Structures are given as structure tokens and as C-alpha cells.
Amino acid sequence: MGCVSSKHEAKHTPGYEDPVILASETAFTVNEVEALYELFKKLSCSIIKDGLIHKEEFQLGLFRNSNRKNLFADRVFDLFDIKNNGVIEFGEFVRSLSIFHPNAPKAEKIAFAFKLDDLRQMGYIGREELKEMVLALLNESDVFLSDDIVQTIVDNTFVQADLNGDGKIDLDDWREFVKKNPSLIRNMTLPYLKDITMAFPSFVVHSEASDDPDMT
């Protein structure tokens, strides 16, 4: 039994928003938003059946493991959780996921990637934050480097990105760094978001909603 009763389907999940409004504010079409709602319901009922996505459910969707500690997953969850109330509502889910849509503005992708690395939310990326993120990404890829090599990666990044040499990478520094290294935001675009389906994040069960060809 799902967390949303079919008898009261019109009640929707907590934080539900009109697909028409969400489509007008994001890169998704109305049909895609409706398909995302089916995905959202599935994910938000995977562990705690309350119609909201909790961190464990988010990690389960990303890594098929609700107990796996992952700095990257934690940061993405925190940024999706726009209200900072420890859960992701449907509107937050759609608006945040829209940033990864191929048609989303590049500026939004750059800003999101910057916030991802700004671990302490100070408005800049420091050396320790960058090192933490580098180590987390290496660990996620099962790559283990010596501390000296990791420190060299951090130092070289600051040489290129810290334009005024103040020991901080602010958003302006980050924008210029991304211009020179566009691959930094490659993962900020998920091509399959143009073909929304029902499994997160690989979307393997296709939606039956048919969109206007001119909208895809």
C-alpha cells in the first residue's frame, strides 16, 4: 500500500503544487511535471510513508543504499531542501531538479555547483572545503590518492580559480573558472530529464504522458 490513498488521490502529498504553475517556473512541461509527481510519490514512500522525501529516501534513490554516508548526497539534499526543514516537498523537488534539465540556464547550473562546494554556506569556497569535496568525490569513485597529491589538486585549483589571491573562491571567481573549465558543470546537466520516466535517478520506466513535440 502506498503512502497516498487512491481513495483520496485528489488530496495529493504535503507540499503539492499545481503542475501548470511549476511548468511555468521551470524547464519542464506540464506532462513532465505530472510524470515527476509519480516519481516523487514513489520515492517519498520508499521508507517513511508520509509523502515527503527524507534524506534516507533520497540516498536510497541515488545510491540504492539509505545508510551510506556521502558528502555529495548530503549537499545535494540540503540544496533541494529549500525550506531547510529536513524534508523535500514536491515543489522543491521539481524546482531543484529543473536546474539539471538540458534547457535550464547555464547561470543556474553554475550557481548550484558553487553552492554544492560552499559546504559551510559562507558565500565562498575555502581550501578545507575544496579538499573535503575532492576527497568525497574520490572516495565515491573508489579512488584513493595520497594526501600530498590531494593537496596538490587543491593548490592548483586555487592558483587557477582564486583570481585576487585572498584564499577564497567566491562566486565571481567560480564563474570565471567554469568558463575556462566547462567540464566542471558537466554533471549539472542530465540529458534524460528531457524524457521523464518513473525511476530515480536513472528513469527506467517511461511515462505515458505525451508532450507536444515542439516542447521537447
Side-chain angles (χ1 to χ4, degrees):
M1 179 181 292
C3 60
V4 180
S5 171
S6 59
K7 187 180 293 183
H8 301 288
E9 190 70 32
K11 297 295 183 182
H12 299 297
T13 59
Y16 176 83
E17 295 184 41
D18 187 338
V20 174
I21 294 175
L22 287 172
S24 71
E25 297 177 355
T26 66
F28 296 114
T29 66
V30 174
N31 282 349
E32 288 170 340
V33 173
E34 290 172 344
L36 278 175
Y37 184 55
E38 296 305 312
L39 168 61
F40 178 85
K41 287 190 295 182
K42 178 180 177 181
L43 190 57
S44 65
C45 298
S46 57
I47 299 176
I48 303 170
K49 302 185 185 303
D50 61 357
L52 299 165
I53 297 177
H54 295 254
K55 184 169 288 189
E56 299 88 346
E57 292 169 323
F58 194 72
Q59 291 179 333
L60 179 64
L62 281 175
F63 303 109
R64 306 299 183 214
N65 186 336
S66 61
N67 297 316
R68 182 172 183 174
K69 294 294 182 182
N70 182 280
L71 177 61
F72 179 74
D74 285 346
R75 287 299 298 142
V76 174
F77 180 89
D78 291 343
L79 293 177
F80 271 52
D81 177 19
I82 298 169
K83 295 180 180 178
N84 296 313
N85 59 356
V87 293
I88 299 173
E89 299 176 359
F90 177 57
E92 294 174 315
F93 181 71
V94 175
R95 289 187 176 88
S96 298
L97 204 54
S98 176
I99 295 170
F100 293 83
H101 195 286
N103 294 341
K106 186 176 179 181
E108 290 185 8
K109 298 177 185 292
I110 292 173
F112 190 96
F114 176 79
K115 291 177 183 177
L116 201 61
D117 287 344
D118 180 12
L119 302 179
R120 294 168 182 78
Q121 302 175 53
M122 298 293 291
Y124 63 84
I125 301 167
R127 287 180 177 273
E128 285 305 310
E129 291 174 298
L130 182 59
K131 185 174 182 179
E132 283 182 55
M133 186 58 77
V134 169
L135 287 171
L137 292 174
L138 289 173
N139 183 59
E140 182 59 31
S141 302
D142 292 323
V143 175
F144 301 96
L145 302 176
S146 70
D147 191 62
D148 287 345
I149 294 177
V150 171
Q151 191 59 52
T152 298
I153 294 172
V154 172
D155 291 343
N156 287 342
T157 299
F158 265 80
V159 167
Q160 297 178 59
D162 181 14
L163 298 180
N164 58 8
D166 63 354
K168 304 173 184 177
I169 300 174
D170 60 25
L171 184 55
D172 288 335
D173 291 335
W174 181 254
R175 289 192 187 104
E176 291 302 313
F177 189 46
V178 171
K179 279 184 184 178
K180 299 173 184 175
N181 303 274
S183 63
L184 287 169
I185 60 168
R186 182 176 55 210
N187 291 338
M188 293 301 303
T189 297
L190 304 177
Y192 44 75
L193 286 180
K194 295 188 77 172
D195 182 22
I196 297 299
T197 55
M198 297 295 106
F200 183 84
S202 53
F203 300 92
V204 295
V205 181
H206 289 278
S207 165
E208 295 181 359
S210 58
D211 289 322
D212 183 337
D214 293 333
M215 297 293 286
T216 58

